Amino acid sequence: MERAHLPTTESAVVAIRDLAVEFGVSMTVTDDIGADQTSRRTSAELFAVCDPDGSLPHEAFVDLAGSPSVSVRLFPEDDARITVDGVEFHDVPQDSVPGFLRSIYGGLARTKGRLFPPGQWLIVPLPGDETYKELIVDSNLTPWLARSAR
């Protein structure tokens, strides 16, 4: 299955909205538009709306209700930070966000414990050979993370 290229933050939000409808999950979106508003442009001059190259950066925060708790911060640099029940996945390409969420809501994501190195991991497989894996820092697993253990 080939991934669709999501050229803008807005197209990524539309793709997430389509998945939310498909899986019956409600969502809220907060948009930050302009160099003085986006989180990675803290060095922008006061009231500077455009980047030095004239582009208008657009960042969005998407909060998906339900279990698991999922939030997605889409950055203007075509990457995202996805948080699933407190587990943060940094630098996920925007093109991978729909597949990532489909894996979460479709039941493909799982937790796995290891003795060495010790810890619990949240593993999110995507179509193809792409897999994301993050250490679960909190030793108290949420009900969704505990149910996802394999």
Coordinates of all heavy atoms in Angstrom, one line a residue, residues 11-29 61-68 70-72 97-106:
S11 N -3.7 19.5 4.8 CA -4.1 18.2 4.2 C -3.9 17.0 5.2 O -4.7 16.1 5.2 CB -3.3 17.9 2.9 OG -1.9 17.9 3.1
A12 N -2.9 17.2 6.1 CA -2.7 16.2 7.1 C -3.9 16.2 8.1 O -4.4 15.1 8.5 CB -1.4 16.4 7.9
V13 N -4.4 17.4 8.4 CA -5.6 17.5 9.3 C -6.8 16.9 8.7 O -7.6 16.2 9.3 CB -5.8 19.0 9.7 CG1 -7.2 19.2 10.4 CG2 -4.7 19.5 10.6
V14 N -7.0 17.1 7.4 CA -8.1 16.5 6.7 C -8.0 15.0 6.7 O -9.0 14.3 6.9 CB -8.2 17.0 5.2 CG1 -9.2 16.2 4.4 CG2 -8.6 18.5 5.2
A15 N -6.8 14.4 6.5 CA -6.6 13.0 6.5 C -6.9 12.4 7.9 O -7.6 11.4 8.1 CB -5.2 12.6 6.1
I16 N -6.5 13.2 9.0 CA -6.8 12.7 10.3 C -8.3 12.8 10.6 O -8.9 11.9 11.2 CB -6.1 13.6 11.4 CG1 -4.6 13.3 11.2 CG2 -6.5 13.3 12.8 CD1 -3.7 14.3 12.0
R17 N -9.0 13.9 10.1 CA -10.4 14.0 10.3 C -11.2 12.8 9.6 O -12.1 12.3 10.1 CB -10.9 15.3 9.7 CG -12.4 15.6 9.9 CD -12.8 17.0 9.6 NE -12.3 17.9 10.6 CZ -11.5 18.9 10.4 NH1 -11.0 19.2 9.2 NH2 -11.1 19.7 11.4
D18 N -10.7 12.4 8.4 CA -11.3 11.3 7.7 C -11.2 10.0 8.5 O -12.2 9.2 8.6 CB -10.7 11.1 6.3 CG -11.1 12.2 5.4 OD1 -12.0 13.0 5.6 OD2 -10.4 12.3 4.3
L19 N -10.0 9.8 9.1 CA -9.8 8.6 10.0 C -10.7 8.7 11.2 O -11.2 7.7 11.7 CB -8.4 8.5 10.4 CG -7.5 7.9 9.3 CD1 -6.0 8.1 9.6 CD2 -7.8 6.4 9.1
A20 N -10.8 9.9 11.8 CA -11.7 10.0 13.0 C -13.1 9.7 12.7 O -13.8 9.0 13.5 CB -11.6 11.5 13.5
V21 N -13.6 10.1 11.6 CA -15.0 9.7 11.2 C -15.1 8.2 10.9 O -16.0 7.6 11.4 CB -15.4 10.5 9.9 CG1 -16.6 10.0 9.3 CG2 -15.5 12.0 10.2
E22 N -14.1 7.7 10.3 CA -14.1 6.2 10.0 C -14.2 5.4 11.3 O -14.9 4.4 11.3 CB -12.9 5.8 9.2 CG -12.8 4.4 8.8 CD -11.5 4.0 8.1 OE1 -10.9 4.9 7.4 OE2 -11.1 2.9 8.1
F23 N -13.4 5.8 12.3 CA -13.3 5.0 13.5 C -14.3 5.6 14.6 O -14.2 5.1 15.8 CB -11.9 5.0 14.0 CG -11.0 4.1 13.2 CD1 -10.2 4.6 12.2 CD2 -11.1 2.7 13.4 CE1 -9.4 3.8 11.5 CE2 -10.3 1.8 12.6 CZ -9.4 2.4 11.6
G24 N -15.1 6.6 14.3 CA -16.0 7.1 15.3 C -15.4 7.8 16.4 O -15.9 7.7 17.6
V25 N -14.3 8.6 16.2 CA -13.6 9.3 17.2 C -13.8 10.8 17.0 O -13.7 11.3 15.9 CB -12.1 8.9 17.2 CG1 -11.4 9.7 18.2 CG2 -11.9 7.5 17.3
S26 N -14.2 11.5 18.1 CA -14.4 12.9 18.0 C -13.0 13.6 18.1 O -12.1 13.0 18.7 CB -15.3 13.5 19.0 OG -14.9 13.3 20.3
M27 N -12.8 14.8 17.5 CA -11.6 15.4 17.5 C -11.7 16.9 17.6 O -12.8 17.5 17.2 CB -10.7 15.1 16.3 CG -11.3 15.5 15.0 SD -10.2 15.1 13.6 CE -9.3 16.6 13.4
T28 N -10.7 17.6 18.1 CA -10.6 19.1 18.1 C -9.3 19.4 17.5 O -8.3 18.7 17.6 CB -10.7 19.7 19.5 OG1 -9.7 19.1 20.3 CG2 -12.1 19.4 20.2
V29 N -9.3 20.6 16.8 CA -8.1 21.0 16.1 C -7.8 22.5 16.5 O -8.7 23.3 16.5 CB -8.3 21.0 14.6 CG1 -7.0 21.5 13.9 CG2 -8.6 19.6 14.1
F61 N -2.6 21.4 16.2 CA -2.6 20.4 17.3 C -4.0 19.7 17.2 O -5.0 20.4 17.3 CB -2.4 21.1 18.7 CG -2.5 20.2 19.8 CD1 -1.4 19.4 20.1 CD2 -3.7 20.0 20.6 CE1 -1.5 18.5 21.2 CE2 -3.8 19.2 21.6 CZ -2.7 18.4 21.9
V62 N -4.0 18.4 17.1 CA -5.2 17.6 16.9 C -5.3 16.8 18.2 O -4.4 16.0 18.5 CB -5.2 16.8 15.7 CG1 -6.5 16.0 15.5 CG2 -4.9 17.6 14.4
D63 N -6.4 16.8 18.9 CA -6.7 16.0 20.0 C -7.9 15.1 19.7 O -8.9 15.5 19.3 CB -7.1 16.9 21.2 CG -7.1 16.2 22.5 OD1 -6.4 15.2 22.7 OD2 -8.0 16.5 23.4
L64 N -7.6 13.8 19.8 CA -8.6 12.8 19.5 C -9.1 12.2 20.8 O -8.4 11.7 21.6 CB -8.0 11.7 18.6 CG -7.5 12.2 17.2 CD1 -6.3 11.4 16.7 CD2 -8.6 12.1 16.2
A65 N -10.4 12.2 21.0 CA -11.1 11.8 22.2 C -11.2 10.3 22.3 O -11.1 9.6 21.3 CB -12.5 12.4 22.3
G66 N -11.3 9.8 23.5 CA -11.5 8.4 23.7 C -10.3 7.6 24.2 O -9.4 8.2 24.7
S67 N -10.4 6.3 24.1 CA -9.4 5.4 24.5 C -8.8 4.7 23.4 O -9.5 4.1 22.6 CB -9.9 4.5 25.6 OG -8.9 3.6 26.0
P68 N -7.5 4.8 23.1 CA -6.5 5.5 23.9 C -6.6 7.0 23.7 O -7.1 7.5 22.7 CB -5.2 5.0 23.4 CG -5.4 4.7 22.0 CD -6.9 4.2 21.9
V70 N -5.1 10.2 22.3 CA -4.2 10.4 21.2 C -4.2 11.9 20.9 O -5.2 12.5 20.8 CB -4.6 9.6 19.9 CG1 -3.6 9.9 18.8 CG2 -4.6 8.1 20.2
S71 N -3.0 12.5 20.7 CA -2.8 13.8 20.2 C -1.8 13.9 19.2 O -0.8 13.1 19.2 CB -2.5 14.8 21.4 OG -1.3 14.6 22.0
V72 N -1.9 14.8 18.2 CA -1.0 14.9 17.1 C -0.6 16.3 17.0 O -1.5 17.2 16.8 CB -1.6 14.3 15.8 CG1 -0.5 14.5 14.7 CG2 -2.1 12.9 16.0
V97 N 1.5 9.7 9.3 CA 0.5 10.0 10.4 C -0.8 9.2 10.2 O -1.3 8.5 11.1 CB 0.2 11.5 10.6 CG1 -1.0 11.7 11.5 CG2 1.4 12.2 11.2
P98 N -1.4 9.2 9.0 CA -2.7 8.4 8.8 C -2.4 6.9 9.0 O -3.3 6.3 9.7 CB -3.1 8.7 7.3 CG -2.5 10.0 7.0 CD -1.2 10.0 7.8
G99 N -1.4 6.3 8.5 CA -1.1 4.9 8.8 C -0.8 4.6 10.2 O -1.3 3.6 10.8
F100 N -0.2 5.5 10.9 CA 0.1 5.4 12.4 C -1.2 5.3 13.1 O -1.5 4.4 13.9 CB 0.9 6.6 12.8 CG 1.5 6.4 14.2 CD1 2.8 6.1 14.4 CD2 0.7 6.7 15.3 CE1 3.3 6.0 15.7 CE2 1.2 6.6 16.6 CZ 2.5 6.2 16.8
L101 N -2.1 6.3 12.8 CA -3.4 6.3 13.5 C -4.3 5.1 13.2 O -5.0 4.6 14.0 CB -4.1 7.6 13.2 CG -3.5 8.9 13.7 CD1 -4.2 10.1 13.3 CD2 -3.3 8.8 15.2
R102 N -4.2 4.7 11.9 CA -5.0 3.5 11.5 C -4.5 2.3 12.3 O -5.3 1.4 12.7 CB -4.8 3.3 10.0 CG -5.7 2.1 9.5 CD -5.7 2.0 7.9 NE -6.2 3.2 7.3 CZ -7.5 3.5 7.2 NH1 -8.4 2.7 7.8 NH2 -8.0 4.5 6.6
S103 N -3.2 2.2 12.5 CA -2.6 1.1 13.3 C -3.1 1.1 14.7 O -3.5 0.1 15.3 CB -1.1 1.1 13.2 OG -0.5 0.0 13.9
I104 N -3.1 2.3 15.3 CA -3.6 2.5 16.7 C -5.1 2.1 16.8 O -5.5 1.2 17.6 CB -3.4 3.9 17.2 CG1 -2.0 4.3 17.3 CG2 -4.2 4.2 18.5 CD1 -1.2 3.6 18.4
Y105 N -5.9 2.7 16.0 CA -7.4 2.4 16.1 C -7.8 1.1 15.5 O -8.9 0.6 15.8 CB -8.2 3.6 15.5 CG -8.0 4.9 16.3 CD1 -7.4 6.0 15.8 CD2 -8.5 4.9 17.6 CE1 -7.2 7.1 16.5 CE2 -8.4 6.1 18.3 CZ -7.7 7.2 17.8 OH -7.6 8.3 18.6
G106 N -7.0 0.5 14.6 CA -7.3 -0.7 14.0 C -6.8 -2.0 14.8 O -7.0 -3.1 14.4

